[in-house]
Amino acid sequence: MNAGENGVRTGVRQAAVLGSPIGHSLSPVLHTAAYQAMGIADRWSYVAQECTEPELAHWLDSRDESWAGVSLTMPLKRHAMSLVDWCDPVGREVGGINTVVFTSAGRRGYNTDVSGIVAAIRSVGVRSVRSVTVLGAGATAASTIVAMRTLGVEDPVTVLARDLTRTDAPRAAGERAGVPVRFAPLTDIADHLDVDLVVSTLPAGGADAIAPIVADSPAAVFDVAYGAEPTTLVRAVTSRGRPAAEGFTMLLHQACAQVELMTGLPAPLDAMRRAGEATLRREDPTSHGTARGR
């Protein structure tokens, strides 16, 4: 195969992760590891591309037939919904997509974050959830609300927000998914911890100060932050003998779903996990990312 435009070999199927900023993304590591384990690395390429919201429409329109699809991270997930020809039901409920697949019938949008959240929570033995409190009220909170329906939530989902005037995403997701949602200030967290599960969608380090009070509750925990070492919140909860999942597992499973959507082949979960964990170990163990920014 010869090198073509931008150094990509001609005849190679292309894919990428788009967002801004994008330099921190683990997606190229995970997808490239998948291609290698699947034996298609000589025919598939996956890179990170800086792309802002105003640039997205032109970027998508300018792709040629060599492109299989793209992963989307912040701040593109909501805007991308208006740029696809079809959107899966989960994406419509959440109000955002993280995957676009190019097909002969047009661009198809998917949300694999929800299935990633479910897989992460189940990975620590939590099979069903009756009650849940979500910390943070952004896009990941919206995906979490839809995920809770899959896990069988019965009580209204409590969303604790730092700013109660900025809760549109989870509020709308709950209405579309048929999941009752109630809101309270994050400062009132002590009143909302008698639940089966606490999900922190706060930025990396954002849950450190409240880790002790969450650890004193009966709840299992899912923290979307991740790094080479467990987050402060996860360490506090597991030290009490309760299950706690981190964001890397969500990132891994949503990436597996993307690989399968783009290639049509089963994703090699273990190979992708090993590659991601090896990359995290090479980074500063005190620096944590979040699964919402991949």
Side-chain angles (χ1 to χ4, degrees):
M1 297 181 184
N2 298 319
E5 186 179 1
N6 299 323
V8 176
R9 301 183 304 277
T10 56
V12 168
R13 294 288 278 161
Q14 298 186 69
V17 57
L18 310 180
S20 183
I22 200 62
H24 64 287
S25 177
L26 269 181
S27 291
V29 170
L30 299 177
H31 286 250
T32 299
Y35 300 161
Q36 292 170 345
M38 296 157 71
I40 61 172
D42 60 333
R43 306 189 302 278
W44 281 76
S45 171
Y46 188 102
V47 297
Q49 296 264 324
E50 189 80 16
C51 182
T52 64
E53 191 172 295
E55 297 170 327
L56 182 59
H58 174 72
W59 197 97
L60 293 174
D61 289 343
S62 63
R63 297 308 95 187
D64 61 26
E65 293 182 354
S66 69
W67 281 84
V70 292
S71 311
L72 303 170
T73 185
M74 303 300 289
L76 306 177
K77 296 180 180 183
R78 183 177 300 182
H79 180 52
M81 290 188 64
S82 65
L83 303 176
V84 295
D85 302 293
W86 176 88
C87 180
D88 74 340
V90 174
R92 291 195 297 270
E93 289 178 339
V94 170
I97 55 176
N98 69 330
T99 312
V100 176
V101 178
F102 301 109
T103 75
S104 58
R107 297 194 289 249
R108 297 174 67 87
Y110 299 88
N111 183 300
T112 68
D113 285 334
V114 169
S115 61
I117 291 169
V118 172
I121 293 168
R122 286 179 171 168
S123 73
V124 293
V126 178
R127 310 307 299 176
S128 63
V129 174
R130 178 184 58 82
S131 55
V132 60
T133 292
V134 180
L135 313 183
T140 306
S143 293
T144 299
I145 288 166
V146 178
M148 291 305 107
R149 185 185 58 197
T150 300
L151 290 169
V153 70
E154 298 176 6
D155 297 346
V157 174
T158 299
V159 174
L160 302 184
R162 288 173 291 188
D163 182 352
L164 288 175
T165 68
R166 303 180 64 180
T167 58
D168 290 351
R171 190 183 303 274
E175 291 173 355
R176 288 187 294 259
V179 177
V181 183
R182 58 192 177 193
F183 297 87
L186 183 57
T187 51
D188 291 350
I189 184 172
D191 299 328
H192 301 281
L193 293 178
D194 187 17
V195 292
D196 296 335
L197 177 70
V198 170
V199 177
S200 173
T201 69
L202 300 174
D208 289 1
I210 58 178
I213 190 172
V214 176
D216 284 339
S217 79
V221 161
F222 170 47
D223 186 355
V224 301
Y226 64 89
E229 299 293 335
T231 66
T232 299
L233 178 58
V234 166
R235 287 200 307 271
V237 172
T238 56
S239 71
R240 303 295 182 89
R242 294 200 313 281
E246 289 193 82
F248 174 71
T249 306
M250 171 191 171
L251 175 62
L252 173 65
H253 282 272
Q254 66 80 31
C256 285
Q258 290 180 334
V259 167
E260 294 178 355
L261 286 167
M262 293 181 196
T263 68
L265 300 171
L269 176 67
D270 290 341
M272 296 169 69
R273 186 195 309 277
R274 288 193 297 270
E277 290 175 344
T279 299
L280 289 173
R281 285 195 298 270
R282 289 194 293 269
E283 296 176 351
D284 181 357
T286 64
S287 176
H288 289 82
T290 58
R292 61 185 181 174
R294 25 193 131 317

